[in-house]
Amino acid sequence: MANPIRLHHVPWGRSFRVLWMLQEMGITPEITRYKIGDKAMRQPGLTDLSPAGRIPALEIDGITIFESAAILQYLCESRPDHGFGRAPGDGERVCYLEALGFAETMASLIEQLNLNHLFLRPPARPSAAVVKLNTLRLGATLGALERMIRGDYLLPSGFSAADMMLGFNLFAAPFYVRMDAFPAVNAYWARLQKRPGFQAAAAIEGPQEFYAKDFYEVPSE
Ligand SMILES: N[C@@H](CCC(=O)N[C@@H](CS)C(=O)NCC(=O)O)C(=O)O
């Protein structure tokens, strides 16, 4: 029997991108779940697969891969019938690659805000200056996304891996940035959440447990 497909995963973490694409492809993986801060994330079970102890890592087709963009691209190339990739020579290739990379420009800002607002433990305290700067920078990436959306999705020809990479960030961004200024982004996020693949992945996740508040203000000095 073929080895199962196994996703190393933190619910509603970046590994959601992979879970979402697998669901779009009709594949339900076996899942090993972790929590941010778990010792298990720094132990060989995970670090043998993902050297910095980060999720996602995916075991598939007899190999393991880490980094969400690499995994999505691998899935696009190994399962091309779904049409989620844009191959070299495709007229949308450059925009596609830009969106895959830009997703992590945005996600790294969210990660800093998560660290400051959610994960620091006393006596460590969030830095108001760092939070303010990262919140402004996150807002700037949302402004860029507002201009990048073409039609229903990021690419004129339709839904792609770029939407799963970049679109996933919109789960977290509204906890830190007021979204009223970004109508196209809000409509795009609503559209993404209606996709059966997204809904199937969200049903596997259950309710998010990262954010205890509806909105996190920049702390005062
Ligand atoms: N660029 C990587 C980032 C992976 C990453 O940092 N994942 C976070 C969760 S969203 C993580 O594993 N954090 C664990 C930690 O910081 O200890 C990717 O896209 O896969």
Side-chain angles (χ1 to χ4, degrees):
M1 203 171 84
N3 285 338
I5 295 173
R6 177 170 293 278
L7 177 63
H8 294 261
H9 181 53
V10 169
W12 297 107
R14 284 175 178 97
S15 45
F16 182 87
R17 294 165 172 157
V18 179
L19 185 62
W20 181 4
M21 182 178 277
L22 290 171
Q23 291 298 297
E24 293 276 353
M25 292 178 161
I27 300 168
T28 296
E30 297 194 358
I31 298 178
T32 302
R33 289 186 174 77
Y34 305 84
K35 256 181 106 163
I36 300 291
D38 267 0
K39 285 199 180 67
M41 293 192 77
R42 297 290 181 270
Q43 287 170 355
L46 184 61
T47 55
D48 285 347
L49 308 176
S50 172
R54 300 288 183 112
I55 56 86
L58 187 69
E59 300 178 61
I60 188 167
D61 302 340
I63 59 168
T64 63
I65 324 175
F66 63 95
E67 283 290 330
S68 57
I71 296 170
L72 294 200
Q73 186 60 20
Y74 174 83
L75 289 171
C76 289
E77 289 171 6
S78 59
R79 289 146 178 88
D81 292 353
H82 297 279
F84 294 150
R86 298 294 183 273
D90 188 302
E92 293 180 336
R93 173 75 172 179
V94 169
C95 289
Y96 171 78
L97 292 176
E98 284 171 344
L100 293 186
F102 189 61
E104 279 298 280
T105 297
M106 189 185 284
S108 62
L109 297 167
I110 293 169
E111 181 177 321
Q112 285 304 309
L113 292 169
N114 285 343
L115 181 69
N116 275 271
H117 284 290
L118 309 181
F119 298 129
L120 287 182
R121 293 286 167 259
R125 291 181 53 227
S127 155
V130 170
V131 170
K132 185 174 178 190
L133 189 59
N134 279 305
T135 303
L136 287 170
R137 288 160 71 97
L138 178 58
T141 62
L142 291 164
L145 179 57
E146 181 78 10
R147 297 187 297 276
M148 285 165 74
I149 296 164
R150 298 172 179 90
D152 283 352
Y153 296 110
L154 284 170
L155 303 176
S157 67
F159 185 68
S160 72
D163 296 300
M164 290 177 263
M165 271 302 289
L166 195 40
F168 164 69
N169 295 338
L170 301 174
F171 158 71
F175 290 99
Y176 298 130
V177 173
R178 302 280 180 205
M179 297 298 288
D180 323 13
F182 310 112
V185 171
N186 291 331
Y188 170 66
W189 177 225
R191 195 173 302 122
L192 291 175
Q193 289 176 91
K194 285 200 188 108
R195 290 186 65 87
F198 182 98
Q199 291 186 0
I204 291 171
E205 298 297 60
Q208 69 85 18
E209 293 178 354
F210 272 128
Y211 302 102
K213 296 198 253 179
D214 291 339
F215 191 78
Y216 289 79
E217 301 284 354
V218 175
S220 46
E221 297 289 347

